[in-house]
Amino acid sequence: MAGRRRLSPVGAPTRGTTNPNRLRRVDRWIATAPPTTRLLRAAGSPLVVDLGYGASPVTTVELARWLRRVRPDVRVLGLELDAERVAFAQSAAAPPWLAFQRGGFELAGSRPVLVRAFNVLRQYAEHEVAGAWQLMLESMPPEGLLVEGTCDEIGRLSTWVLVSRDGPVSLTLSVRLAGLDRPSTVAERLPKALIHRNVPGERVHDLLSTLDACWAAAAPHQAFGARSRWLETVRLLGSRGWPVLGPPGRIRLGELTVPWAAVAPVAP
């Protein structure tokens, strides 16, 4: 790693909250979405970093299992600022393709093709997000991708941004359909770059408001189940001019992906 810069950990410790399967929604997306799977399959020797895994390494282990379905030779590196969390993770029996060490936004001098950073930026100010994204992407190859987002404590509400060297690419909302009151419930778990933008006049507010209106209009489909209602909701959203990305199979899982330009913050 000679010549690598910023090897001292950069960032602030998180609360460390974690639970098994908390990140299953984003894991499933990373392991099946075309942008990330193409990247992993094309890489010569893929390294993936899980940044800020928390008090337990369980979600890093789960991520590795999902990724090895795409590339059996993938290596996963869990990074944490807290030395005690790293020591605990290292003490667990781990296969050679899974490792843990101290590190932050500088990625500990590693050069991964993909980084998952979940529930890391919630404690930062909105104006600090772009700098954190840039610092991580500087440590990655030009084609590298960052998946940054947040979720609730048990993984029923989740959102994430896909970010490349050229900037944010897309926003994904993922919700547990059973028991969903209205789609805008996910607003409380928007990524830091958007969570304060859910106000009139902002694009993400328009998206969530339109989703709620489509959800209400699709109420008759509830007789066939929440999934049927969600599919109709997304169909109505598209009919109102919103660009919906992704195949129907992903939408059926309670997901909605839109281009970043459709939700990007309005310039002050």
Side-chain angles (χ1 to χ4, degrees), residues 70-84:
V70 182
R71 278 290 296 265
D73 60 340
V74 70
R75 294 173 296 124
V76 177
L77 174 63
L79 295 180
E80 254 292 343
L81 290 171
D82 189 298
E84 291 186 1

Side-chain angles (χ1 to χ4, degrees), residues 163-188:
V163 190
S164 73
R165 281 281 184 94
D166 295 328
V169 177
S170 62
L171 170 72
T172 298
L173 313 177
S174 182
V175 299
R176 183 176 183 269
L177 295 174
L180 181 67
D181 180 30
R182 60 185 185 277
S184 65
T185 302
V186 80
E188 65 194 51

